[in-house]
Amino acid sequence: MPDSQVIDGKALAETVRNELRAKVETFTAFGRSAPHLAVVLASDDPASAVYVRMKGKAADAVGLRSTQHTLSPDTSPEDLRAVVAALNDDPDVDGILVQLPLPDQHDEEAIIGMIDPSKDVDGLTPINAGRLARGDESGLMPCTPLGCIRLIEASGTEIRGARATVIGRSRLVGRPVADLLLNRHATVTTCHSRTRDLAAVCREADILVAAVGRAKFVQGDWVKPGATVIDVGINRNAEGKLEGDVDFDAARVRAGAITPVPKGVGPMTIAYLLSNTVTAAQRRRAQ
Ligand code: NAP
């Protein structure tokens, strides 16, 4: 069997960013200010600091305005809530992202839950997650799942009527990916750590999405011949190299299309964060 199509997430993210640049220009061309993304960093986790910097740079590169609100890792819950409340109230802010995880003194769910849903560019507030779970895509939706759907569509895979297996049921990835696939009329099975005979469930899938957090967890012979495989996992191996949740070399000889790690889902996540910021600005300013 020939090798599969490797879906180029880096190139597709560039396409998304070009679409966004054109949209941002429609704001500034009419004298309005560019959409504004506010990112809150309240931990001293080095990976979080890198992600926040990347997001700020990516926003600037498409012409958005971005501000970073860096708080001390021992900031009190009251002070963090006050920062989020101020961003909610600020009419100049279109999108709010609170970088997770938060230090232990904070109640993550409570902080996420207080973000104004119209500015919730991560799509994680109960209101936006609830809308999506009910089949309503009018709210802001999580970035990584949106990126996964765009990658599947770009591969030419028909979602309608396909059997889809999603490994993982997190609020950030697994559940919303399953919701989006179901909304597009796939027949969806969501798997997790208690799923029996996971390999057999995967082998039925025309579309297989892995969001587990374990390097090379999905074996090549779990992939149905011709299937489209989306690898969300980001795992660092002993040499510090990034690896996905799928054994890429073994899977690509069976898959019809497959995303690599890196340069697969990762760049799409950031592109859809920017896209959500533009969407939030369009909707808020139309009101
Ligand atoms: P998570 O919250 O830890 O969820 C992992 C899921 O995998 C859980 O639902 C868990 O099941 C399931 N799981 C764990 N072990 C399993 C097993 N042996 N068999 C079947 N299912 C198993 O992680 P996440 O936030 O969804 O992220 C998943 C991966 O994606 C991570 O590597 C993360 O770094 C990566 N990620 C990448 C991007 C990107 O932009 N590329 C964005 C977000 C996340 P239970 O629910 O039963 O525990």
Side-chain angles (χ1 to χ4, degrees):
M1 191 180 296
D3 269 6
S4 55
Q5 170 197 353
V6 177
I7 313 167
D8 187 342
K10 193 172 170 221
L12 190 54
E14 182 56 29
T15 303
V16 175
R17 284 196 297 272
N18 286 336
E19 294 163 2
L20 291 174
R21 274 188 201 101
K23 283 186 186 168
V24 172
E25 274 165 23
T26 64
F27 280 85
T28 47
F30 291 100
R32 294 176 300 168
S33 52
H36 176 185
L37 171 66
V39 181
V40 179
L41 176 63
S43 83
D44 58 0
D45 170 33
S48 291
V50 171
Y51 288 140
V52 165
R53 236 185 354 260
M54 276 167 60
K55 289 166 183 174
K57 273 169 93 174
D60 298 344
V62 297
L64 300 177
R65 289 178 297 148
S66 70
T67 47
Q68 185 177 323
H69 302 260
T70 307
L71 309 179
S72 148
D74 44 24
T75 296
S76 69
E78 296 70 39
D79 286 350
L80 176 55
R81 282 201 296 273
V83 168
V84 175
L87 294 172
N88 279 344
D89 290 343
D90 185 344
D92 187 47
V93 170
D94 297 293
I96 302 170
L97 182 152
V98 177
Q99 184 65 40
L100 303 177
L102 291 171
D104 288 347
Q105 72 270 25
H106 301 292
D107 177 344
E108 227 168 67
E109 288 305 314
I111 292 293
I112 290 168
M114 68 173 288
I115 297 172
D116 178 341
S118 75
K119 299 185 179 186
D120 167 30
V121 285
D122 256 345
L124 293 177
T125 57
I127 292 198
N128 282 327
R131 282 183 181 134
L132 178 59
R134 290 169 53 143
D136 170 1
E137 297 194 359
S138 66
L140 292 166
M141 298 180 281
C143 312
T144 302
L146 287 172
C148 292
I149 296 297
R150 181 78 182 257
L151 286 160
I152 295 167
E153 289 171 348
S155 74
T157 306
E158 178 150 29
I159 299 177
R160 173 188 288 262
R163 278 178 185 267
T165 295
V166 179
I167 319 176
R169 56 176 165 179
S170 68
R171 63 172 181 196
L172 189 64
V173 190
R175 280 173 201 265
V177 167
D179 289 335
L180 288 169
L181 287 165
L182 188 59
N183 291 350
R184 284 157 185 72
H185 312 294
T187 300
V188 183
T189 306
T190 304
C191 302
H192 45 77
S193 62
R194 272 55 149 218
T195 298
R196 291 202 197 107
D197 204 355
L198 182 60
V201 184
C202 291
R203 278 187 202 112
E204 288 184 353
D206 304 307
I207 298 169
L208 178 59
V209 181
V212 188
R214 292 184 178 209
K216 295 187 176 175
F217 177 75
V218 175
Q219 308 297 298
D221 67 355
W222 296 14
V223 174
K224 179 177 172 178
T228 296
V229 180
I230 305 295
D231 188 351
V232 182
I234 300 180
N235 310 286
R236 219 165 261 284
N237 69 15
E239 292 93 57
K241 272 185 65 184
L242 291 187
E243 286 183 333
D245 286 347
V246 177
D247 183 346
F248 181 81
D249 292 334
R252 78 175 288 188
V253 293
R254 284 169 70 97
I258 185 167
T259 58
V261 176
K263 300 184 183 169
V265 174
M268 295 298 285
T269 295
I270 296 194
Y272 272 92
L273 168 67
L274 310 179
S275 170
N276 275 350
T277 305
V278 172
T279 302
Q282 283 171 330
R283 290 180 186 164
R284 293 184 59 258
R285 297 185 196 191
Q287 276 167 7

